[in-house]
Amino acid sequence: MKKALIFDFDGTLADTLDTIAKITNRLSVEFGYPPASPEELAELKDLSAWEIIKRSKISIFKLPFLLRRIRKELQKDIQYIHLFPRMKEVLEELNHQGYSLYIITSNAKENVILVLENYQILHLFHRIDSASTLFGKSRYIRTVLKQENLQPEQAIYIGDETRDLDAAKRAKIRSIAVSWGFNSPDILSQHRPDALIYNPDELLEVLNRLNRYSSCSVTDSLHHD
């Protein structure tokens, strides 16, 4: 059975958070929200995306325009963007083990491609989809499943934010939360991912465990039938 892993990009594969925070603060006057101090940024880790938007008091109508500007500004700083340590090696091993790798991200597809090309791993990914909004990733997940002829049980979404986990639930696929990105382990746990990991190498171990569990569930079901 084909096995698919759908990754978020920012905060999951690539360490873009400091750069995005600087860009967001730089655009605060133009878009009408207060810049965040380092202390406030740390507090945001325990909030969901909707709670952050409410706290920032930014107009919901300005969000799509802000997202486009952040993508554009991020491209100017793309040379400073790095994958998290050991991520390249883990992705190569996952490809070697036969996983089909995908990316669904709120970042621009061009930005993602540039980073992956810098690490010479663009060829590992079957496709990259750029979500046009901060929310609604579940629609993109379902599109990937349909177009790639994947059943929900064949796919796992891997992300660093509560909205990633919520999108996976709405698309009826399993999820793995990573602790090194935007949201804290505490709030990620509250959104009940199938697993929470603390370093990229742990992903290999967790996937083996989830696959064994799935195989046992199928075997048990057949046995009971």
Side-chain angles (χ1 to χ4, degrees), residues 6 22 32 34 61-62 67 70-71 111 121 123 147 153 186 188 191 196 200 214 216:
I6 306 173
K22 290 175 184 176
F61 301 106
K62 291 184 179 180
L67 182 59
I70 291 173
R71 289 170 164 177
N111 292 344
I121 58 170
H123 66 282
Q147 293 180 354
E153 60 269 20
D186 286 343
L188 290 170
H191 285 250
L196 173 62
S214 295
C216 290

Side-chain angles (χ1 to χ4, degrees), residues 32-174:
Y33 57 86
S37 67
E39 294 76 18
E40 288 170 327
L41 287 172
E43 293 174 3
L44 297 182
K45 284 183 170 289
D46 290 316
L47 302 179
S48 69
W50 274 119
E51 288 171 332
I52 292 170
I53 291 169
K54 289 177 182 176
R55 180 165 170 167
S56 71
K57 294 182 172 59
I58 184 171
S59 167
I60 194 73
F61 301 106
K62 291 184 179 180
L63 271 180
F65 303 100
L66 175 60
L67 182 59
R68 282 200 289 272
R69 282 294 302 279
I70 291 173
R71 289 170 164 177
K72 186 176 180 180
E73 294 298 315
L74 190 58
Q75 192 167 14
K76 298 176 184 178
D77 296 328
I78 206 69
Q79 68 270 25
Y80 305 116
I81 302 303
H82 302 284
L83 296 183
F84 285 102
R86 290 284 302 157
M87 187 59 71
K88 176 182 178 179
E89 293 80 5
V90 168
L91 291 170
E92 290 172 333
E93 177 59 25
L94 291 170
N95 178 69
H96 177 71
Q97 291 184 14
Y99 287 96
S100 296
L101 307 183
Y102 301 84
I103 291 174
I104 297 177
T105 176
S106 300
N107 206 328
K109 182 176 180 178
E110 295 80 6
N111 292 344
V112 175
I113 289 174
L114 285 171
V115 174
L116 298 180
E117 284 181 336
N118 286 342
Y119 281 86
Q120 300 180 325
I121 58 170
L122 179 60
H123 66 282
L124 299 180
F125 291 89
H126 195 65
R127 65 187 276 176
I128 299 166
D129 286 55
S130 179
S132 58
T133 63
L134 284 175
F135 302 95
K137 274 189 178 181
S138 58
R139 175 165 57 90
Y140 289 87
I141 294 173
R142 287 192 289 267
T143 297
V144 168
L145 296 181
K146 182 178 180 180
Q147 293 180 354
E148 300 297 321
N149 295 314
L150 291 164
Q151 296 301 313
E153 60 269 20
Q154 293 176 268
I156 298 175
Y157 194 89
I158 302 162
D160 69 307
E161 296 185 56
T162 59
R163 64 191 178 100
D164 295 323
L165 307 181
D166 294 341
K169 282 187 175 65
R170 284 193 290 271
K172 296 180 170 56
I173 68 171
R174 292 174 293 173

